Amino acid sequence: MGNTASCCVSASPKLRRNAHSRLEPYRPEPELSREDTGCNLQHISDRENIDELNMEHNPSDHPRATTMFLSKSQTDVVPSNKKVREKRKSLYVNHLTHILESKQHPSGPMRRKYSSCSTIFLDDSTVSQPNLKYTIKCVSLAIYYHIKNRDVDGRTLLDIFDEKLHPLSKLEVPLDYDKHDPEQKQIYRFVRTLFSAAQLTAECAIVTLVYLERLLTYAEIDICPANWKRIVLGAILLASKVWDDQAVWNVDYCQILKDITVEDMNELERQFLELLQFNINVPSSVYAKYYFDLRSLSEANNLSFPLEPLSRDKAQKLEAISRLCDDKYKDMRKAAKKRSVSADNLVVVWWSPAIIS
């Protein structure tokens, strides 16, 4: 009978060593410079990171960049230690005031609400359904800080936003209209009037702030006493058309602002879009960033959202929503998880002996 041997035959280790010994020793070639190779391209380490630069200068496009209004508002914030001491002092004073008022007036209102084991206080504002009144207040406060802490570096004032060239009312514009910064209450009344008359939502207010900061970044202009009304009006006009399903027409704003013409509104919208480079996309991550930064702004300025005790119905709704989201993400995780290979479909390489006659 013939001998049996494996079909996969390899050379002997000694033979391999002898074969390598006949090869010439390795000699590294000298490195060639860029001039010798004729390649003048920059190395990847020498190139600028475009994404980081855009993220730094375009916070309305990148979710990780700090919003402009929050950075400008922090210039007026007192030092951290002093702020903490004042906050503790205010809490202590409010607590003592509540104790005194409860003794003098048992049915008097509570100055500050504290959660306990039996009662939990929550505000009715969420990222998907913000509180309209307080969102408008926060947006007005953000615009106020934009105007107050603007960069005075001689930036040009575009004619389309100049209130003297395009007045919103027939009243004569004062000569020093560009000298006095508006108060936060004045900005709030202007924005609230437009939102109430046009029946806009709180989400539209957040998108308005996104478009406003995007305009300041793209057009390289500053919002100032001379142009803040028309910039805010253009941002609200655009946000209402992009966000709301039933958009407000330009002629409807002429019913709110009696002395403005439809042609002026059309030109304002057209130039606003051109200055935005027709970039009206607002990702959900950017929207959420602006919402939470507005909440941070409200807390830093003692503009707290109204608190209400958590009722049984609201607790059940929150539990149902969280359970629904949990089930949804479970299904997504299952779909994304890679399935292991079944043992039935497993292919194994078999080594069979060969008969050499």
Side-chain angles (χ1 to χ4, degrees):
M1 297 293 292
N3 297 327
T4 61
S6 175
C7 63
C8 295
V9 181
S10 61
S12 173
K14 293 183 179 180
L15 294 177
R16 287 200 299 266
R17 283 198 296 268
N18 294 334
H20 283 292
S21 63
R22 293 194 297 269
L23 297 176
E24 295 182 358
Y26 172 73
R27 296 177 182 178
E29 298 181 358
E31 296 183 358
L32 299 178
S33 62
R34 295 179 181 178
E35 288 78 9
D36 297 335
T37 57
C39 179
N40 295 325
L41 294 177
Q42 282 184 318
H43 191 266
I44 189 171
S45 62
D46 300 333
R47 300 177 186 176
E48 294 180 335
N49 195 335
I50 305 299
D51 294 337
E52 292 184 0
L53 292 177
N54 292 337
M55 183 179 67
E56 179 182 357
H57 297 288
N58 298 331
S60 61
D61 294 331
H62 298 272
R64 290 182 296 163
T66 306
T67 52
M68 296 171 61
F69 70 87
L70 194 61
S71 301
K72 290 180 180 294
S73 66
Q74 292 172 353
T75 59
D76 289 349
V77 176
V78 295
S80 57
N81 294 333
K82 184 177 180 182
K83 182 180 178 182
V84 171
R85 288 196 301 268
E86 290 181 353
K87 187 173 183 180
R88 289 176 180 173
K89 182 180 178 182
S90 63
L91 293 178
Y92 178 71
V93 170
N94 288 337
H95 183 63
L96 288 181
T97 305
H98 168 59
I99 294 177
L100 294 176
E101 287 184 352
S102 60
K103 290 181 179 180
Q104 297 175 0
H105 306 283
S107 61
M110 183 184 294
R111 286 292 186 89
R112 186 175 181 85
K113 299 178 180 179
Y114 297 92
S115 297
S116 62
C117 296
S118 59
T119 306
I120 299 177
F121 290 98
L122 297 175
D123 58 68
D124 61 344
S125 180
T126 60
V127 67
S128 58
Q129 293 180 346
N131 183 281
L132 177 60
K133 179 180 178 181
Y134 283 85
T135 302
I136 294 177
K137 283 187 176 181
C138 293
V139 171
S140 303
L141 186 61
I143 298 172
Y144 167 77
Y145 278 117
H146 265 292
I147 301 174
K148 182 180 180 181
N149 300 325
R150 62 186 180 275
D151 298 329
V152 186
D153 55 357
R155 289 189 176 183
T156 58
L157 179 64
L158 299 180
D159 294 341
I160 190 61
F161 300 124
D162 193 347
E163 193 175 348
K164 191 172 184 63
L165 299 178
H166 302 275
L168 298 179
S169 63
K170 293 182 180 179
L171 299 177
E172 184 179 358
V173 179
L175 297 177
D176 57 347
Y177 73 105
D178 57 342
K179 304 297 182 184
H180 304 287
D181 294 344
E183 297 182 357
Q184 192 266 340
K185 294 181 179 180
Q186 181 181 357
I187 302 174
Y188 171 71
R189 285 195 297 266
F190 179 77
V191 178
R192 184 191 61 184
T193 301
L194 294 176
F195 270 74
S196 300
Q199 297 181 358
L200 302 179
T201 59
E203 297 91 335
C204 185
I206 300 176
V207 178
T208 297
L209 186 59
V210 175
Y211 287 159
L212 187 145
E213 292 200 348
R214 189 173 293 177
L215 173 73
L216 301 183
T217 304
Y218 284 21
E220 297 183 354
I221 61 175
D222 278 326
I223 185 169
C224 61
N227 62 4
W228 72 269
K229 285 186 178 181
R230 292 186 61 84
I231 288 180
V232 172
L233 176 61
I236 293 175
L237 170 65
L238 194 59
S240 63
K241 291 188 175 183
V242 173
W243 188 263
D244 291 342
D245 295 332
Q246 296 179 351
V248 182
W249 291 12
N250 293 358
V251 68
D252 297 329
Y253 287 97
C254 298
Q255 301 295 329
I256 303 172
L257 304 171
K258 301 293 184 181
D259 300 328
I260 197 171
T261 62
V262 180
E263 291 77 15
D264 188 15
M265 292 295 298
N266 295 339
E267 184 66 18
L268 176 64
E269 181 185 6
R270 185 184 66 82
Q271 292 201 27
F272 204 105
L273 277 170
E274 289 181 354
L275 292 172
L276 289 184
Q277 302 174 14
F278 297 93
N279 181 15
I280 58 176
N281 180 40
V282 179
S284 58
S285 55
V286 173
Y287 171 86
K289 176 188 69 173
Y290 272 79
Y291 169 78
F292 289 110
D293 283 357
L294 285 173
R295 290 191 69 106
S296 301
L297 180 67
S298 66
E299 294 177 1
N301 291 269
N302 296 324
L303 185 63
S304 58
F305 286 74
L307 298 177
E308 296 179 356
L310 180 62
S311 61
R312 183 184 297 271
D313 295 338
K314 191 171 183 180
Q316 292 177 352
K317 289 181 180 179
L318 291 175
E319 185 179 2
I321 292 174
S322 61
R323 191 177 301 160
L324 180 63
C325 294
D326 190 23
D327 296 341
K328 178 180 178 182
Y329 288 120
K330 277 185 180 178
D331 297 338
M332 293 175 62
R333 286 194 296 267
K334 288 181 180 179
K337 187 177 179 180
K338 294 182 178 180
R339 299 182 62 183
S340 58
V341 179
S342 176
D344 298 334
N345 300 327
L346 186 63
V347 179
V348 181
V349 179
W350 293 92
W351 294 83
S352 58
I355 299 175
I356 302 176
S357 56

